[in-house]
Amino acid sequence: MSQTPILAALLLFFISIPVSSYGSVLSPFLFLSIFNIYTDATFLFIADGPLYDSTAYTKCKIQPEPPLYNGGMLKDQQQHTIPDTGDRQKSFSFSLKNLDAATKYCFSIWIRIKDAESAMITASLVTQDTRLKCIGTVTAYKGCWSFLKGGFVLSSPSNSNTLYIKNSDSKDVVGIEIASASLQPFTPQQWRLNQDTKINQARKRAVTVHVSDREGRQVQGASIRVEQLSKDFPFGSAIAESIIANPPYQKWFVERFNAAVFENELKWNATEFIQGQVNYTLPDQMLEFVQANQITVRGHNIFWENPQYIPKWAQNLTGSALESAVTSRIQSLMHKYRGDFVHWDVNNEMLHFDFYEDRLGPNATLHLFKAAHQSDPLATLFMNEFNVVETCSDAESTVDAYVSRMRGLQRGGVTVGGIGLQGHFDVPNPPLMRAVLDKLATLGLPIWLTEVDISNEFTKETQAIYLEEVVREGFSHPAVNGIVLWTAFRRGRCYQMCLTDGNFSNLATGEAVDKLMKEWSSDGLEGRSNEHGSYSFFAFLGEYKITAKYGDKTVDSTFSLSQGRETRHFNIQLY
């Protein structure tokens, strides 16, 4: 009998109980063994479904790779071609029957084009009730194969559906070739199990505490208590000037978050509204608050390509006058805050706007990044953009457009250290979001969700549901290194989504955040050392205090739990 269903059932059981209860369910050694067998599998069927395949490609290949999941629902299915005149196929389609609501459908396919050097190819879905205009895109090229990865979720079941592959960015007909198409369904339960598996692999680590007496003899029966002092994963929110001298807001924030970003206070329009009159009073006060509470803070932003948010006095500058103003901005801001901000969003939203490059030439962005790096070499410089991970319907900011721009900056010799994805969501599409993260992960750079919120067109309860989906998806992806919500509370309101009311009592969205933070905490673990003098457990990465007590002897000690596949061994000696 295969052990896979047994392991899946055990993992379902463990996921349903608190971490602190493991010791009372079975021995730590047995749990560690089961956990390692489970998470070390490279392709394991979980609850009658496969482990999610995070394989992705962002470079053209001479030959396409085999289909993911052996094709899944599209295995051996005949695609339909829609030919143009001549021998060109301008689009393809697949007929799909009986698609379920809430099931996550992961789609991938390899594309090669004819008749043009490059073209954007879009996958879309038409159901009996609706049309999903984009479930994935790829920039395809002539003479080599490009990988499209995406997916979709339906809100209601549909018996008759058609998935289309076609050119979307040119009036000219482009011939298309396809290969290795795949469509893999995941039930909500399977998707959640896959998320938890990734979280266990990337965000947690096994620990064994060894207790001995002063002669080095193992101590059996010592009581162990584990207290989490801090979390390794940066999770936070934007803040506004309203947090200054506001104890209720400060208390609410510090109790939850270890990361922050200033919503508007560092932007050029805020610090130099009138040319030559630079004022950093508000960001100074906000920085004092975050530093006093050991909160990681991002720098947002040095420049913003959108003319609407450039100081009015600078909007009409050109040539040397604009160059002088830009140089002054960098020197003033970066000299003052050198070493204070771990990140800088250097030139915000440059896939959508081109103010500086239009006026200063095509290499303007290269100069901005190089100057920022010279001013603060230890800060990680980010390319920050919207509609990359939220949707694939925005032709300006597809995942391939982001990758191409990033690689162009790197070829230009600039230091770009981080991928910034804003994350202003309407209805989330988790399979597409994960596919985008997979492709961006091929760049080998840390990914941050920098401005996460949910549109205010929804009720607060619906916002909470969607927010949990997005945050859980981000936290479970190994390439994501931090999440910041765009929920600064200013004059009784927030940009799109608040977490609290005016009295700093949680709304439904705030409750969703607290629920996740409690779930992703390893505080308050308790147990006793076994006959070998050891106590084992799994814990989220971070800083810990361990208290060992035996008889009248009590010892406190601290340790750091960083990422690693090996068990972290820690020794405590009772004096």
Side-chain angles (χ1 to χ4, degrees):
M1 178 179 178
S2 170
Q3 63 179 336
T4 298
I6 299 173
L7 292 174
L10 284 169
L11 262 294
L12 277 169
F13 173 64
F14 288 128
I15 289 167
S16 69
I17 63 175
V19 175
S20 58
S21 301
Y22 291 155
S24 62
V25 176
L26 78 174
S27 73
F29 176 77
L30 181 55
F31 174 73
L32 294 177
S33 299
I34 294 172
F35 185 91
N36 285 327
I37 292 171
Y38 182 81
T39 57
D40 284 343
T42 57
F43 192 79
L44 177 67
F45 277 78
I46 304 174
D48 299 322
L51 188 68
Y52 175 82
D53 193 332
S54 59
T55 301
Y57 306 89
T58 50
K59 292 184 178 179
C60 243
K61 296 178 73 72
I62 298 301
Q63 296 294 333
E65 297 290 331
L68 303 185
Y69 313 104
N70 199 27
M73 295 174 62
L74 300 184
K75 182 182 179 181
D76 301 325
Q77 183 176 136
Q78 181 68 38
Q79 73 270 9
H80 305 283
T81 63
I82 305 174
D84 183 47
T85 56
D87 62 353
R88 295 176 296 185
Q89 280 75 47
K90 65 178 183 179
S91 66
F92 291 83
S93 68
F94 296 89
S95 295
L96 306 172
K97 303 296 183 183
N98 302 323
L99 298 180
D100 297 324
T103 293
K104 275 63 171 182
Y105 291 94
C106 295
F107 176 69
S108 61
I109 194 168
W110 288 84
I111 308 287
R112 184 169 65 179
I113 64 170
K114 306 174 183 178
D115 313 311
E117 292 304 314
S118 67
M120 189 172 80
I121 307 300
T122 297
S124 61
L125 182 75
V126 176
T127 75
Q128 60 192 40
D129 299 318
T130 188
R131 180 187 178 193
L132 304 180
K133 293 182 180 180
C134 184
I135 63 170
T137 65
V138 70
T139 301
Y141 297 91
K142 183 179 180 180
C144 62
W145 293 88
S146 301
F147 187 62
L148 184 154
K149 193 174 191 184
F152 59 91
V153 183
L154 299 182
S155 58
S156 59
S158 180
N159 295 325
S160 178
N161 316 273
T162 305
L163 195 159
Y164 291 97
I165 309 294
K166 59 184 179 181
N167 177 29
S168 55
D169 66 352
S170 174
K171 294 181 180 179
D172 298 326
V173 175
V174 175
I176 300 173
E177 296 177 90
I178 65 172
S180 300
S182 173
L183 184 68
Q184 178 62 45
F186 293 87
T187 67
Q189 295 78 16
Q190 292 166 350
W191 195 259
R192 176 64 181 276
L193 276 170
N194 273 281
Q195 288 176 322
D196 288 325
T197 299
K198 294 295 185 182
I199 289 171
N200 287 334
Q201 290 174 329
R203 312 296 180 200
K204 299 173 76 174
R205 188 172 175 183
V207 181
T208 295
V209 178
H210 302 276
V211 185
S212 62
D213 61 19
R214 62 189 308 167
E215 282 77 35
R217 294 172 298 203
Q218 299 164 343
V219 175
Q220 180 179 358
S223 65
I224 308 293
R225 178 172 176 79
V226 181
E227 178 185 354
Q228 187 169 17
L229 302 177
S230 65
K231 297 179 180 180
D232 181 72
F233 187 85
F235 185 60
S237 171
I239 55 175
E241 62 182 275
S242 55
I243 204 166
I244 299 170
N246 189 338
Y249 190 2
Q250 293 180 357
K251 181 177 184 294
W252 178 87
F253 192 93
V254 171
E255 286 176 348
R256 287 162 178 79
F257 299 128
N258 62 358
V261 65
F262 301 169
E263 185 181 44
N264 294 320
E265 287 74 11
L266 272 176
K267 294 171 182 173
W268 195 5
N269 200 35
T271 60
E272 194 177 1
F273 186 75
I274 299 174
Q275 186 174 13
Q277 298 183 19
V278 180
N279 188 338
Y280 293 115
T281 302
L282 291 178
D284 281 350
Q285 293 174 315
M286 295 167 71
L287 185 63
E288 182 180 352
F289 159 69
V290 297
Q291 289 181 337
N293 290 281
Q294 298 179 313
I295 294 170
T296 296
V297 60
R298 305 188 70 248
H300 177 79
N301 51 54
I302 305 175
F303 296 102
W304 196 343
E305 282 284 356
N306 188 343
Q308 181 180 350
Y309 301 106
I310 294 171
K312 288 185 178 180
W313 59 264
Q315 291 179 15
N316 295 321
L317 298 179
T318 57
S320 61
L322 182 57
E323 287 180 1
S324 177
V326 165
T327 300
S328 176
R329 162 69 172 171
I330 292 177
Q331 291 176 346
S332 171
L333 181 72
M334 304 296 284
H335 174 75
K336 178 174 178 59
Y337 293 115
R338 181 184 174 103
D340 288 326
F341 293 89
V342 295
H343 301 163
W344 280 105
D345 294 329
V346 176
N347 195 17
N348 205 39
E349 299 175 358
M350 60 189 189
L351 291 182
H352 287 91
F353 308 100
D354 59 357
F355 177 87
Y356 296 101
E357 295 199 350
D358 181 56
R359 288 158 178 78
L360 298 177
N363 292 325
T365 300
L366 296 178
H367 296 317
L368 297 182
F369 271 89
K370 288 178 180 178
H373 178 65
Q374 290 171 357
S375 298
D376 193 349
L378 296 182
T380 303
L381 305 184
F382 271 68
M383 178 176 157
N384 194 49
E385 192 57 75
F386 69 92
N387 277 354
V388 179
V389 74
E390 302 97 313
T391 179
C392 61
S393 296
D394 188 341
E396 300 294 328
S397 54
T398 65
V399 60
D400 288 294
Y402 190 104
V403 170
S404 177
R405 191 60 185 272
M406 179 68 80
R407 286 180 172 151
L409 291 172
Q410 292 172 332
R411 286 194 300 271
V414 305
T415 302
V416 187
I419 295 168
L421 308 175
Q422 292 185 13
H424 298 292
F425 285 85
D426 292 319
V427 180
N429 179 351
L432 175 65
M433 179 180 176
R434 189 179 292 187
V436 169
L437 292 173
D438 289 343
K439 292 194 73 171
L440 291 173
T442 64
L443 292 172
L445 298 174
I447 299 173
W448 278 58
L449 305 182
T450 58
E451 305 180 17
V452 175
D453 63 11
I454 307 297
S455 171
N456 60 14
E457 70 179 86
F458 306 111
T459 67
K460 292 178 175 60
E461 290 71 25
T462 300
Q463 282 182 319
I465 293 170
Y466 290 161
L467 178 63
E468 180 176 346
E469 278 191 62
V470 170
V471 173
R472 190 180 294 279
E473 196 59 57
F475 187 72
S476 66
H477 200 287
V480 173
N481 280 24
I483 299 175
V484 178
L485 309 179
W486 203 248
T487 52
F489 195 83
R490 182 193 300 271
R491 291 186 287 276
R493 61 179 298 273
C494 309
Y495 173 66
Q496 290 284 331
M497 180 188 77
C498 285
L499 300 179
T500 75
D501 61 18
N503 296 317
F504 298 99
S505 296
N506 274 351
L507 302 172
T509 45
E511 289 298 314
V513 169
D514 282 359
K515 174 187 172 185
L516 289 174
M517 298 190 75
K518 182 178 180 181
E519 179 182 331
W520 298 331
S521 172
S522 300
D523 198 25
L525 303 181
E526 294 182 339
R528 291 188 176 275
S529 57
N530 60 19
E531 65 274 18
H532 303 291
S534 63
Y535 171 68
S536 298
F537 57 94
F538 273 94
F540 285 95
L541 307 180
E543 299 289 325
Y544 286 87
K545 173 184 175 182
I546 292 186
T547 300
K549 183 176 182 181
Y550 187 77
D552 60 352
K553 297 181 178 65
T554 300
V555 173
D556 292 328
S557 190
T558 60
F559 74 97
S560 297
L561 189 60
S562 57
Q563 196 168 37
R565 295 291 290 173
E566 296 178 327
T567 300
R568 171 77 156 85
H569 290 270
F570 187 73
N571 298 304
I572 292 182
Q573 193 170 47
L574 293 169
Y575 295 99

